[in-house]
Amino acid sequence: MKYLEKLFALAFLIIFLNSCGVSKSIHNRPDVSGYDAIIPEKVKINDSTFVVGNNFLLKNKQGQWELYVEGNPLQIGKITGSLTQDLMQKQEAIFFNKVEDLVPSKTQQYLLRKFLAWYNRKMYLHIPEEYKAEIYGLSQFSSSNFSEIGEPYLRLLYLHGAHDIGHALQDLMLVGCSSFAVWGDKTVDGELLIGRNFDFYAGDDFAKEKIIAFVNPSEGYKFMSVTWGGMIGVVSGMNDQGLTVTINAGKSEIPLVAKTPISIVTREILQYASNIDEAIAIAKKREVFVSEAIFVGSAKDKKAAIIEVAPDNFGVYEVENTDELICSNHFQSEAYKNDERNIEWIAESHSMYRFERMEELISEDEKLNVDDAVAILRNKKGLDDKEIGFGNEKALNQLLAHHGIVFKPESRKVWVSSNPYQLGEFVEYDLNEIFKNREGNPATKSISNAMENISEDPFVYSKAYKDYEEYRILEREVEAAIENKKTISAEKLSELQQKNPEYWKAYYLTGKYYFEKNYDAAAKIAFETALNKEITTVPDKEKIEHYLKKLGQ
């Protein structure tokens, strides 16, 4: 995971350091003069419950924050900022600490800042005014500790491009998500059922303070989304019309200029679309700067579709004569049939493997219910139930998810996972109940429906899970030792393998360490063992074969 953390931090460096270079530009602040900016004062009920008028933030017993906000864009931004100030500032500190660790050189920061000020120069032109107003309101409660990097509004504005830049830079694929939908004869009650894992890993601290937000805007539809402090975009959500959106990254080139962040496009869809056609129309009018699959479920259409967007292409994928739709990280519409990047990605990545695993698991049951959907999201095995090692990106449950989520759009119900990963209890929320009779009724207790929660995965109490958590620590220690050319004991390398015996990477790291120490025989054994495991991608396999070739294999 350390490799991913470093690349993620670099992506954030690119986003945040450019803020300084544009801090004096004319688009520093949006025009908010047309909005009523008055909000009530925050009242602290206790350490886990806060109220601002009809709005609230509280922590449920699963450790998740539940947020309800209403008003015009500026009010929603300011109220959200007031209620989530500590959470937002904590997230900022996490990001900037990573940046300082990666690029301590002030000279390097300056050069990046100059280049990236130019790179993000046009993003503000592609973000709707109401969302800039909301971000501005939110920024009034941002930290003052990072003023040397840029003013709060710009820091938060560019933060919303993190998802896009994070998976475009060297195809980081920090968002290798899996999504599926079933409906009609494939569900127990005939209703549309959607499941998805948001496999966006930015370090353990990033996922600790998730927010389940319920937003009642002055214009558009009411909606919920799973988010974090400082983020108004949507990665997973559903509105009160029973329309859902989730996002799956596609194969992208490094973009030349920032345009509309995907999470802002999906926020607009969630707030203003009630069916698939309306969602398509909104997606078509926005210019994006990376490739993305927007998975849309619709209660009105009683089915799901995939909107596939890219800077130079647009497609829609719908299925006929079947009651299921599957999405991983490659495109399926006719518009991308001959796309070379997409073809290469299908051949070399783990996207098709996860796609086929979803097909396999969905076919095991004649009809699916919510428990079945959660079980699919939590599945840790490979094709044909093969043991492929914990943390393997070919698994649907890669044991790194920010969250898992299940929707029943026609019932307006949603289940959101709790920590760790998507192994904790899935908490049920009913949008009809949550948005009903809200005026003058701030909540002082959890708004979830505990009666219909899905129990935590028993795996969290197993020795295998404990071993995996210990493996993750060992893996980082070994990676750091290899990078810094430090000595690792044979006992530690053996323990690395024993804690996750079916995972190819444990043997690859062992082989790499021995190779660099010129212990050729030991390196060869480790690399050969790695080749016999389920390796994540074609480039990973080729890397191991290259080492063996050097060893005279």
Side-chain angles (χ1 to χ4, degrees), residues 263-277:
S263 70
I264 295 296
V265 177
T266 48
R267 163 67 187 270
E268 187 175 8
I269 289 172
L270 201 60
Q271 189 173 343
Y272 290 103
S274 66
N275 58 38
I276 292 171
D277 286 343

Side-chain angles (χ1 to χ4, degrees), residues 186 360-369 372-373 375-376:
K186 193 59 185 173
E360 189 175 80
L361 291 171
I362 289 171
S363 69
E364 289 180 357
D365 293 300
E366 183 179 347
K367 296 178 183 291
L368 276 69
N369 59 22
D372 299 323
I376 290 172

Side-chain angles (χ1 to χ4, degrees), residues 194-297:
I194 299 167
R196 88 81 128 251
N197 281 334
F198 185 56
D199 292 316
F200 180 84
Y201 183 77
D204 292 342
D205 289 340
F206 178 81
K208 285 181 179 177
E209 304 283 7
K210 289 187 278 288
I211 300 172
I212 298 97
F214 301 88
V215 182
N216 185 353
S218 57
E219 295 184 13
Y221 301 118
K222 305 174 183 70
F223 64 91
M224 68 75 60
S225 75
V226 183
T227 186
W228 51 87
M231 175 70 161
I232 75 158
V234 172
V235 296
S236 302
M238 178 169 69
N239 67 22
D240 64 355
Q241 302 299 297
L243 185 105
T244 71
V245 292
T246 62
I247 51 179
N248 290 51
K251 175 77 170 179
S252 286
E253 292 184 336
I254 296 177
L256 297 178
V257 63
K259 293 185 179 179
T260 313
I262 290 294
S263 70
I264 295 296
V265 177
T266 48
R267 163 67 187 270
E268 187 175 8
I269 289 172
L270 201 60
Q271 189 173 343
Y272 290 103
S274 66
N275 58 38
I276 292 171
D277 286 343
E278 291 173 2
I280 292 169
I282 290 172
K284 269 186 176 179
K285 73 180 183 181
R286 295 297 173 198
E287 292 185 73
V288 299
F289 60 107
V290 293
S291 301
E292 198 86 17
I294 304 173
F295 196 94
V296 179

Side-chain angles (χ1 to χ4, degrees), residues 459-471:
F459 176 69
V460 298
Y461 299 108
S462 69
K463 182 179 183 298
Y465 174 72
K466 181 181 178 182
D467 285 348
Y468 172 69
E469 289 297 291
E470 292 175 0
Y471 167 82

Side-chain angles (χ1 to χ4, degrees), residues 325-525:
L325 181 66
I326 296 172
C327 181
S328 51
N329 295 104
H330 59 272
F331 291 158
Q332 303 174 64
S333 68
E334 190 68 24
Y336 292 87
K337 183 178 180 180
N338 299 314
D339 186 282
E340 292 183 2
R341 294 193 303 269
N342 191 50
I343 293 170
E344 179 186 19
W345 193 245
I346 291 172
E348 296 191 351
S349 75
H350 46 77
S351 181
M352 182 56 76
Y353 189 99
R354 284 183 287 110
F355 186 97
E356 292 173 352
R357 180 57 173 161
M358 281 186 276
E359 282 186 318
E360 189 175 80
L361 291 171
I362 289 171
S363 69
E364 289 180 357
D365 293 300
E366 183 179 347
K367 296 178 183 291
L368 276 69
N369 59 22
V370 174
D371 293 81
D372 299 323
V374 169
I376 290 172
L377 296 180
R378 287 174 170 169
N379 191 279
K380 295 167 282 293
K381 295 182 179 180
L383 288 169
D384 299 318
D385 288 334
K386 179 181 179 181
E387 296 289 350
I388 60 176
F390 297 122
N392 194 319
E393 293 175 38
K394 283 187 169 180
L396 297 183
N397 181 2
Q398 302 169 24
L399 292 172
L400 55 66
H402 181 270
H403 64 267
I405 192 166
V406 174
F407 301 101
K408 285 196 71 177
E410 291 165 72
S411 298
R412 310 298 192 266
K413 290 184 177 181
V414 56
W415 288 258
V416 182
S417 69
S418 54
N419 291 334
Y421 318 116
Q422 72 279 62
L423 301 176
E425 191 173 12
F426 271 67
V427 182
E428 190 259 2
Y429 298 94
D430 185 330
L431 266 62
N432 286 330
E433 291 298 319
I434 290 169
F435 287 118
K436 184 173 65 176
N437 301 324
R438 286 251 54 95
E439 187 171 352
N441 184 31
T444 55
K445 62 180 181 178
S446 175
I447 54 175
S448 66
N449 183 0
M451 295 297 291
E452 297 189 41
N453 289 356
I454 308 300
S455 300
E456 60 190 342
D457 191 333
F459 176 69
V460 298
Y461 299 108
S462 69
K463 182 179 183 298
Y465 174 72
K466 181 181 178 182
D467 285 348
Y468 172 69
E469 289 297 291
E470 292 175 0
Y471 167 82
R472 295 178 71 229
I473 296 171
L474 281 169
E475 182 186 89
R476 291 168 183 169
E477 290 179 3
V478 170
E479 285 179 325
I482 293 173
E483 182 180 345
N484 297 313
K485 301 188 183 301
K486 293 183 177 180
T487 300
I488 310 170
S489 69
E491 290 76 15
K492 179 160 285 189
L493 291 171
S494 177
E495 185 181 7
L496 180 76
Q497 297 168 20
Q498 292 169 8
K499 293 295 182 182
N500 202 357
E502 298 302 323
Y503 191 31
W504 70 274
K505 191 175 180 182
Y507 304 95
Y508 164 71
L509 290 174
T510 301
K512 186 176 181 181
Y513 173 76
Y514 284 139
F515 179 86
E516 294 183 0
K517 291 292 185 181
N518 295 316
Y519 301 152
D520 290 0
K524 182 179 177 182
I525 291 171

Side-chain angles (χ1 to χ4, degrees), residues 12-30:
F12 269 100
L13 175 70
I14 287 177
I15 295 161
F16 286 124
L17 290 186
N18 73 73
S19 301
C20 295
V22 292
S23 62
K24 294 182 180 180
S25 69
I26 60 171
H27 57 273
N28 263 9
R29 300 179 180 180

